[in-house]
Amino acid sequence: MKHTLRHAGLGTLVLALTTLFCLALPGTAQRRQRPSTPSGPWMNTNLSPDERADLVLKEMTADEKVALLHGVGMPTDEPVTVENAPSNRGVGYAVGVPRLGIPGIDMSDAAYGVRSSQVNGRYSTALPANVAAAASWDPDAAYEYGALIGRELRAQGYNMSLGGGVDITREPRNGRTFEYLGEDPILAGTLVAKLIEGTQSAHVIGDIKHYAFNDQESGRNSVNITVSKRAARETDLLAFEIGVTKGNPAAVMCSYNRVNGDFACENKWLLTDVLKKDWKFPGFVLSDWGGTHSTEKASAAGLDNEQPGRFFFGDKYKAAVDAGTIPGAELDEHVHRILRAMFAAGVIDYPRQRSVIDPFAGFETARKIEEGSIVLLKNKPAVLPLDSAKIRTIAVIGAHSDVGMISGGGSAQVDPIGGNAIAPKGEGATRWQEQIWFPTSPLKAIQARAPRATVKYDPGTDPAAAAAAAKGADVAIVFAYQWESEGMDLPTLSLPAYKSGDQQVDQNAVIAQVAAANPHTIVVLETGSPVTMPWVDAPAAILEAWFSGSDGADALGNILFGTVNPSGKLPNTFPKNEADLPHPTVTQPPPESQHFSGPTSPEQWAKGLPPFQVAYDEGLKVGYKWYDAENKSVLFPFGYGLSYTTYSYSGLTVTPGSTVKVTFTVANTGARSGAEIAEVYAALPASAQEPPKRLVGFSKVKIDAKQKQTVTIEIDPKYLSIWDEQKDAWSLIPGDYTIMVGGSSDKLPLKATVSLK
Ligand code: BGC
């Protein structure tokens, strides 16, 4: 869908029109007052959400029903109309049934924070990118992540989140890798379920997206993904299955792409057979923005709501019901699901109520999550943590680390306080695919933690000058970044070269020369995807800080100086080079399939752009499963991350039963307390024909120095099963299972074999 630019002038016009409408329309003037609780038999909270939805449905006219099936445009970018006036000017709005006290559904993008706050003159916290949350491997942190988003949505006046991205990182060059939760379905699914739970705890509708296989942005509106049912169910769909069944999102957003021939938003297999029947999803499916392509077909396949407009689910839908090409019961089923979701999420019992966001609490949450997400990739010879008592000179180099840290773009973009931290500075608004740096200054954070040291900044635009700045310093901290965004894929996994004035800056050369000049060089990466590191042997330490959110610099400062012990681990494999990936390049669409923008007319969109094919022929071998199966050594493996302390593992026992119980002991053998992510993998019997191993459980445990802790993890039998295409069901293959436990996918010191039937 086209995301237009938002100009300051348009904002003023919108404000003027809003005022006009609020004065002119008695109904909309009400929204400035405390909302009144709706009445009706459906307000009996002893009834189930299904019963309550049915009571409302009985009272509704056909027009009211159809009005719930679609949006009324994108209020953010459009003039105020009678329909969208009660909205909060987010990216989507479905009018409710005011006559019956059913509020409109007011949607905002909210991947790592509430988007477009500037439209309302508001503020929202930017959390570290979703991939960072995945690097924490911490379900409690994921809950806090979602809860903060839910609270801030509600405080701004929204009652629905468009967050919860969980497409698997099959293609690490995907420009939305930062919005997703890594390459493993069990890690990603577990965390997205917690994130949704957190979001919905604030009485906003939570959503999980983009269902499914939107694993590349190139040609996303036209690409046809072919994938076997077994590979589908055990990889991408497993993440959604866990998210849907454990997180209970009230909504699921179907994706732009085609899957095995049909667009995802009119794909009966995806929407009805898998999601609604097999997983028993009781909520509603809404299309990605412009992802609807038909009326009868999409409705019958299981799409409940078209966004952001009504090409297919407005008048055309009504006409189809009148003509009998869509049965009345089918219309009722869609409406029931939407109403049910509203009751279940609490948006009717707890009407939207604006309040003041707590930015201080938001900063603290963002900082703590980032502290648990930063991954220490290398620390030789233990240059970290820095000792502020001893250090006298620090060179801070590159990537605007004097003023800010970068964020991920597209519809996930959160507006920074005061606008972009680098020139040209905005007024808080962000523009589509503009690189936005948050005003969180590593330079200041470092200086604050080393008050007696001389801290000098070099922009890192000239490798020789950067090396000269690094040369005499006790330590050189060099920053590098790889920006990414919705609507594009990365051409390579290399740190990009960028333009600074007339200069082309080669970040790899800057790092290599700085590290050559100073043996105590620390590289800090701000990336969403894995990066290749031709210089990996040169620096003493490497930290992956991701897109670090509102208070990234303080989190980083606390890690650098050891106030916090690093505990994040990689949710994505860092390969040595692109040639090692399952697909050496991202398949690009031919010119006729290339449109990124949305529909120009329903007729054109009904046809869809001509498909081009991408075969997921790596099948089950996603991420580490690929490198394992293909015997490819990697730069940094999945599940890897160092600490300032050391851990040892012992005493594994594996007890079969309705769940397989895995018990072991983790000891902190070092001198600092820390949090260790213990990982459990399983190798299935050979007859299962699976990749060598899969993650089946994990636990992040806090352990004080010289202490140990016993950990028990119960493994869901599904996580040990395969998808049997003949039976169309999960199936546990009888035989010997090797359970492996340790602190990284490549370092699993404990092993035990258990026989399962
Ligand atoms: C994105 C969705 C987003 C929607 C609304 C689409 O282009 O794919 O993730 O929620 O726009 O902004």
Side-chain angles (χ1 to χ4, degrees):
M1 190 64 194
K2 196 165 168 237
H3 291 257
T4 49
L5 305 184
R6 288 186 305 278
H7 303 286
L10 180 64
T12 317
L13 177 69
V14 165
L15 190 67
L17 289 172
T18 310
T19 314
L20 198 67
F21 272 98
C22 288
L23 291 174
L25 301 169
T28 56
Q30 292 287 324
R31 75 194 185 96
R32 299 217 179 276
Q33 294 167 12
R34 191 173 280 271
S36 57
T37 312
S39 61
W42 46 86
M43 292 313 294
N44 177 355
T45 52
N46 293 323
L47 300 176
S48 70
D50 283 306
E51 290 167 324
R52 298 174 74 183
D54 281 339
L55 287 170
V56 178
L57 190 61
K58 265 202 261 169
E59 301 294 323
M60 289 171 73
T61 66
D63 283 336
E64 285 169 338
K65 290 178 184 176
V66 173
L68 260 193
L69 301 189
H70 61 78
V72 295
M74 291 173 65
T76 318
D77 292 333
E78 289 167 14
V80 177
T81 64
V82 173
E83 283 177 316
N84 74 25
S87 86
N88 200 42
R89 312 221 61 74
V91 80
Y93 185 69
V95 300
V97 197
R99 184 177 70 84
L100 303 175
I102 304 300
I105 307 181
D106 215 339
M107 312 172 190
S108 173
D109 279 308
Y112 62 87
V114 181
R115 182 189 181 194
S116 297
S117 302
Q118 171 267 349
V119 168
N120 291 316
R122 308 272 294 190
Y123 157 84
S124 62
T125 306
L127 290 156
N130 307 72
V131 72
S136 79
W137 294 57
D138 184 346
D140 296 337
Y143 182 92
E144 284 307 317
Y145 194 106
L148 180 139
I149 287 175
R151 277 198 305 277
E152 294 197 356
L153 280 166
R154 191 172 159 77
Q156 289 206 26
Y158 293 106
N159 59 10
M160 178 163 179
S161 159
L162 304 172
V166 73
D167 297 73
I168 286 294
T169 307
R170 255 178 199 275
E171 173 46 77
R173 287 160 297 198
N174 177 0
R176 300 187 89 168
T177 301
F178 75 98
E179 274 189 70
Y180 299 138
L181 296 166
E183 67 191 26
D184 183 81
I186 292 174
L187 176 64
T190 306
L191 296 180
V192 84
K194 281 290 175 189
L195 188 147
I196 296 292
E197 245 184 66
T199 303
Q200 295 192 155
S201 71
H203 309 303
V204 302
I205 294 173
D207 134 282
I208 186 168
K209 70 186 185 184
H210 308 87
Y211 185 69
F213 303 100
N214 189 172
D215 300 342
Q216 71 174 58
E217 286 293 281
S218 306
R220 65 178 180 174
N221 292 110
S222 51
V223 65
N224 179 40
I225 300 298
T226 49
V227 60
S228 77
K229 290 214 167 145
R230 175 170 173 187
R233 299 291 291 235
E234 291 186 31
T235 62
D236 302 53
L237 293 188
L238 179 56
F240 280 98
E241 177 171 3
I242 299 169
V244 165
T245 55
K246 298 204 167 156
N248 298 311
V252 169
M253 182 192 289
C254 50
S255 56
Y256 285 127
N257 50 288
R258 295 167 164 105
V259 180
N260 293 334
D262 284 325
F263 280 112
C265 291
E266 54 185 43
N267 192 309
K268 181 178 165 294
W269 172 65
L270 276 179
L271 303 186
T272 297
D273 301 347
V274 176
L275 176 66
K276 293 186 174 176
K277 289 201 174 141
D278 192 23
W279 301 345
K280 303 188 174 47
F281 170 64
F284 72 99
V285 177
L286 77 164
S287 71
D288 199 344
W289 267 226
T292 310
H293 295 272
S294 59
T295 304
E296 281 90 344
K297 183 176 177 185
S299 173
L303 179 68
D304 301 296
N305 183 282
E306 174 185 3
Q307 288 298 330
R310 57 188 117 179
F311 279 166
F312 302 101
F313 275 41
D315 291 347
K316 276 193 177 186
Y317 199 100
K318 178 82 190 326
V321 174
D322 291 343
T325 52
I326 292 182
E330 193 174 294
L331 165 64
D332 283 358
E333 155 89 11
H334 296 311
V335 176
H336 172 93
R337 283 176 171 276
I338 295 166
L339 292 169
R340 189 222 180 265
M342 296 174 84
F343 282 113
V347 305
I348 296 172
D349 295 338
Y350 302 89
R352 294 185 285 159
Q353 174 72 67
R354 283 188 170 178
S355 60
V356 178
I357 286 168
D358 182 345
F360 306 106
F363 260 58
E364 193 173 332
T365 303
R367 193 198 74 236
K368 282 191 176 152
I369 291 175
E370 174 68 359
E371 287 170 351
S373 302
I374 289 175
V375 184
L376 178 63
L377 294 172
K378 181 178 175 186
N379 191 18
K380 232 183 192 168
V383 69
L384 288 173
L386 301 174
D387 183 345
S388 57
K390 290 197 187 134
I391 220 153
R392 280 156 309 150
T393 47
I394 305 176
V396 175
I397 298 165
H400 305 294
S401 52
D402 54 337
V403 289
M405 295 182 86
I406 202 162
S407 58
S411 62
Q413 183 70 62
V414 171
D415 295 336
I417 301 170
N420 208 348
I422 65 162
K425 285 182 180 252
E427 289 175 357
T430 56
R431 284 165 198 82
W432 186 249
Q433 292 203 335
E434 183 186 19
Q435 297 187 10
I436 301 296
W437 297 74
F438 269 71
T440 176
S441 159
L443 180 69
K444 285 188 188 155
I446 290 164
Q447 179 73 80
R449 285 160 182 80
R452 285 198 293 267
T454 305
V455 185
K456 287 216 174 109
Y457 177 70
D458 178 276
T461 45
D462 170 12
K471 198 158 180 62
D474 290 347
V475 59
I477 308 177
V478 55
F479 288 77
Y481 74 96
Q482 165 221 59
W483 174 79
E484 61 185 20
S485 166
E486 176 185 343
M488 55 164 259
D489 290 321
L490 301 172
T492 73
L493 292 179
S494 177
L495 285 171
Y498 66 93
K499 257 197 129 44
S500 169
D502 296 340
Q503 265 168 312
Q504 187 73 2
V505 181
D506 176 346
Q507 298 192 83
N508 284 326
V510 173
I511 295 173
Q513 293 199 29
V514 168
N518 189 321
H520 298 136
T521 291
I522 299 156
V523 176
V524 178
L525 298 167
E526 298 172 45
T527 81
S529 286
V531 285
T532 51
M533 304 180 197
W535 38 260
V536 68
D537 293 330
I542 307 172
L543 284 165
E544 173 58 83
W546 315 107
F547 301 148
S548 62
S550 292
D551 200 17
D554 281 317
L556 178 69
N558 288 345
I559 293 278
L560 286 170
F561 287 87
T563 320
V564 174
N565 193 349
S567 64
K569 292 193 179 175
L570 294 180
N572 287 317
T573 307
F574 278 42
K576 286 192 165 149
N577 55 58
E578 287 84 19
D580 287 342
L581 294 172
H583 302 271
T585 54
V586 178
T587 310
Q588 294 301 315
E592 67 276 16
S593 306
Q594 234 159 32
H595 269 288
F596 163 66
S597 304
T600 49
S601 71
E603 294 72 30
Q604 180 238 346
W605 212 238
K607 272 198 287 167
L609 295 165
F612 71 105
Q613 309 298 327
V614 170
Y616 284 170
D617 43 19
E618 69 282 2
L620 301 170
K621 294 184 278 182
V622 176
Y624 62 92
K625 295 169 187 165
W626 166 262
Y627 303 102
D628 273 2
E630 302 290 316
N631 276 317
K632 288 180 193 287
S633 64
V634 300
L635 188 59
F636 294 110
F638 174 79
Y640 167 86
L642 302 171
S643 158
Y644 297 152
T645 187
T646 46
Y647 301 99
S648 76
Y649 287 74
S650 63
L652 174 64
T653 59
V654 181
T655 321
S658 57
T659 60
V660 173
K661 214 192 245 184
V662 179
T663 303
F664 54 92
T665 299
V666 188
N668 180 341
T669 48
R672 281 171 189 265
S673 64
E676 166 71 339
I677 298 159
E679 303 167 32
V680 182
Y681 294 80
L684 274 58
S687 59
Q689 298 188 330
E690 285 285 312
K693 66 174 180 292
R694 57 163 78 160
L695 180 79
V696 291
F698 60 91
S699 179
K700 189 164 191 171
V701 277
K702 289 202 176 91
I703 316 177
D704 285 339
K706 304 286 176 218
Q707 299 300 305
K708 55 186 169 188
Q709 201 164 307
T710 301
V711 180
T712 297
I713 295 175
E714 300 209 13
I715 302 171
D716 186 329
K718 188 176 288 171
Y719 298 175
L720 294 165
S721 301
I722 67 159
W723 184 260
D724 183 328
E725 290 195 359
Q726 260 70 52
K727 292 191 200 139
D728 207 29
W730 288 104
S731 168
L732 189 90
I733 304 295
D736 287 346
Y737 287 71
T738 305
I739 303 295
M740 293 163 274
V741 180
S744 168
S745 67
D746 72 331
K747 202 164 164 229
L748 300 165
L750 306 183
K751 278 193 183 49
T753 300
V754 60
S755 186
L756 300 178
K757 298 193 233 353

